[in-house]
Amino acid sequence: QVQVVQSGSELKKPGASVRVSCKASGYISIGYGMNWVRQAPGQGLEWMGWINTTTGYPTYAQGFTGRFVFSLDTSVSTAYLQISSLKAEDTAVYYCAPSGDYFFKYWGQGTLVTVSS
Amino acid sequence: QSALTQPASVSGSPGQSITISCTGTSSDVGAYNYVSWYQQDPGTAPKLMIYEVNNRPSGVSYRFSGSKSGSTASLTISGLQAEDEADYYCSSYTTTNSWVFGGGTKLSVL
């Protein structure tokens, strides 16, 4: 059974950085992508992009370039989302979800990032 | 990539059927049969309900079904139950090797 476990909630001040981790265990198809999805308070789901777990190559959706970085540590099967120069509008729940196919069967539990002074 | 278009809300009485539409373009919904639907209860992660237009994962009730015509996909829930009350999102793979979600639909069971 696949499990996807994310790091806990974060409270950060504007201008700071945050790193969210996402560990996948169990069988997932070779060469899967780890996707990141943002959900702002009271809003819908927004696909941020993904990182190829075989090549480490990241792809960012429009609006998520520059301050957002996807990375991997394959030795511990963990993906990371780093957001720098945090702004109040980055306050959201961030989900990771592996995609071996063209849908998201498994999801992390979500990580709430709150940006407030 | 613009979000797929869903109605903000739909409602129905127990036992009735409802349909949620999801309208995209020839670059996403209309391009492939890679439309999926997710159910989300407050404070929880989304749950896959339908994949590849009309396939149900193991454990999802037969009352949930999907279809597609052109650039519009639909999710139908038959025999509506109180437990179906949730937010529903459609998603599609796109011709730019990315994914796009719909804006979400709040289902109320009256």
Side-chain angles (χ1 to χ4, degrees):
Chain A
Q1 179 71 325
V2 173
Q3 281 195 310
V4 186
V5 180
Q6 299 182 224
S7 50
S9 298
E10 300 269 7
L11 173 60
K12 296 290 183 180
K13 294 188 184 303
S17 295
V18 69
R19 190 176 79 162
V20 177
S21 68
C22 169
K23 182 175 175 63
S25 60
Y27 176 76
I28 305 177
S29 57
I30 300 296
Y32 69 92
M34 186 60 80
N35 295 262
W36 291 94
V37 176
R38 181 173 76 178
Q39 187 168 38
Q43 303 300 307
L45 303 173
E46 191 174 14
W47 185 75
M48 301 172 63
W50 69 292
I51 185 166
N52 186 308
T53 58
T54 298
T55 65
Y57 187 81
T59 299
Y60 300 96
Q62 277 188 328
F64 295 100
T65 55
R67 298 188 300 115
F68 300 84
V69 176
F70 307 146
S71 62
L72 291 173
D73 183 342
T74 54
S75 66
V76 290
S77 302
T78 300
Y80 301 95
L81 162 65
Q82 179 154 341
I83 311 172
S84 58
S85 303
L86 282 164
K87 308 174 183 180
E89 50 263 43
D90 293 324
T91 294
V93 175
Y94 292 86
Y95 293 102
C96 61
S99 59
D101 299 288
Y102 299 98
F103 49 88
F104 308 117
K105 184 175 182 180
Y106 304 105
W107 293 72
Q109 80 276 21
T111 296
L112 173 62
V113 175
T114 303
V115 183
S116 174
S117 55
Chain B
Q1 192 76 38
S2 298
L4 306 176
T5 301
Q6 298 180 231
S9 64
V10 298
S11 62
S13 299
Q16 288 185 330
S17 294
I18 64 95
T19 296
I20 300 171
S21 61
C22 169
T23 301
T25 69
S26 58
S27 297
D28 38 63
V29 176
Y32 308 112
N33 287 328
Y34 293 142
V35 175
S36 50
W37 290 89
Y38 303 86
Q39 176 191 65
Q40 187 181 36
D41 292 316
T44 68
K47 174 186 176 184
L48 178 69
M49 303 302 284
I50 294 287
Y51 66 96
E52 293 172 358
V53 175
N54 57 10
N55 294 285
R56 279 189 314 275
S58 174
V60 171
S61 172
Y62 67 92
R63 299 185 297 105
F64 290 82
S65 61
S67 62
K68 191 187 89 165
S69 177
S71 297
T72 297
S74 298
L75 173 71
T76 297
I77 308 173
S78 59
L80 209 55
Q81 298 180 1
E83 67 201 48
D84 300 331
E85 189 163 287
D87 293 327
Y88 290 86
Y89 295 90
C90 61
S91 179
S92 177
Y93 190 66
T94 81
T95 56
T96 56
N97 300 319
S98 62
W99 277 267
V100 61
F101 285 98
T105 298
K106 183 176 183 60
L107 169 62
S108 298
V109 180
L110 305 174

